Amino acid sequence: MKWLASNIVVVIWSVIFGEVIGYVGQALEEMTYQPLQIGVTMAIAALIAVNGIALLARSDQKSAKN
């Protein structure tokens, strides 16, 4: 349950930060603002990053015990 809750929090915050960064970037680069695309992309990137780091840390702890 803790893993699911932490992933939900990561998705929510990554979408919020992605939207803010996307809006500012759109204004600076004079491009069209696509909130759905930015939100989905940031959520996927954040999930991959967070779970990848956790996976690497877990495997590092296993190798340190041996």
Side-chain angles (χ1 to χ4, degrees):
M1 188 67 176
K2 181 180 176 184
W3 176 81
L4 180 63
S6 64
N7 277 318
I8 290 172
V9 170
V10 165
V11 167
I12 291 169
W13 279 108
S14 66
V15 169
I16 291 170
F17 286 136
E19 295 297 329
V20 171
I21 293 169
Y23 184 76
V24 171
Q26 166 266 331
L28 293 173
E29 295 292 327
E30 298 176 0
M31 299 175 69
T32 58
Y33 178 62
Q34 299 172 340
L36 181 63
Q37 181 181 2
I38 293 170
V40 170
T41 303
M42 288 303 294
I44 292 171
L47 283 175
I48 290 171
V50 167
N51 290 316
I53 292 169
L55 182 64
L56 289 173
R58 187 173 11 159
S59 67
D60 187 41
Q61 289 174 352
K62 287 181 183 178
S63 66
K65 290 180 182 178
N66 292 333

